[in-house]
Amino acid sequence: MKSFLTLAALAASALAQSVNIGSPADMSTVTPGNNITVQVNRPNTLTGSQEVAIAIGLFPCGGTDGQTPCAATNTTGVLGNVLYTGPYNPQYADGAPSLPPHQNFSVQVPSTFKSGQVSLGVAHFALVGASMMPIYEFVNTTLVVQ
């Protein structure tokens, strides 16, 4: 029972550090060749953590015809075209007290992308808790290229 409680506490600490994609919203329309702003949120937590890095990518779900929806494609852990890799330093925004700590990244939708759905994926790596336990997570949302 004791080991179960320890494992549950570690899992809760890791989940408390989870990121989410604040923008663009699910099913937003994007245009090939244009920049989009990806807001990566990390809600505040009482558990100490050290951010290591993130990677942001776009994966075309549509296959060769561009018509397959992302819901019919396994996009779990798939970044596709990597648009950003590097440091992640979420902060509160001045004048926006309702937003959690976050960081905005401007990335360009590849000009070669065809119309259809794409998966916007974010891979996140951090060190959590007093023992600096490494955690990795992947979150994604679907966008529509037009």
Side-chain angles (χ1 to χ4, degrees):
M1 182 69 166
K2 194 177 195 182
S3 62
F4 173 75
L5 291 176
T6 302
L7 183 58
L10 287 173
S13 293
L15 289 174
Q17 302 303 316
S18 293
V19 296
N20 63 65
I21 298 171
S23 69
D26 191 49
M27 300 306 285
S28 292
T29 300
V30 297
T31 305
N34 285 358
N35 284 359
I36 60 172
T37 299
V38 179
Q39 181 184 68
V40 182
N41 298 329
R42 191 195 47 77
N44 211 0
T45 178
L46 295 177
T47 305
S49 67
Q50 180 179 339
E51 297 299 330
V52 177
I54 65 167
I56 300 171
L58 282 174
F59 176 71
C61 302
T64 57
D65 64 359
Q67 300 307 307
T68 305
C70 286
T73 306
N74 183 2
T75 58
T76 305
V78 178
L79 284 173
N81 293 61
V82 177
L83 307 176
Y84 173 83
T85 60
Y88 177 55
N89 185 24
Q91 301 291 318
Y92 283 103
D94 292 335
S98 63
L99 289 176
H102 66 279
Q103 187 172 354
N104 293 328
F105 300 89
S106 181
V107 297
Q108 186 176 47
V109 177
S111 59
T112 56
F113 275 23
K114 296 181 171 132
S115 294
Q117 292 186 358
V118 296
S119 173
L120 170 67
V122 175
H124 172 236
F125 180 60
L127 303 174
V128 179
S131 64
M132 289 297 172
M133 177 180 75
I135 63 163
Y136 166 79
E137 66 175 325
F138 180 82
V139 295
N140 64 342
T141 192
T142 300
L143 304 178
V144 178
V145 175
Q146 286 191 341

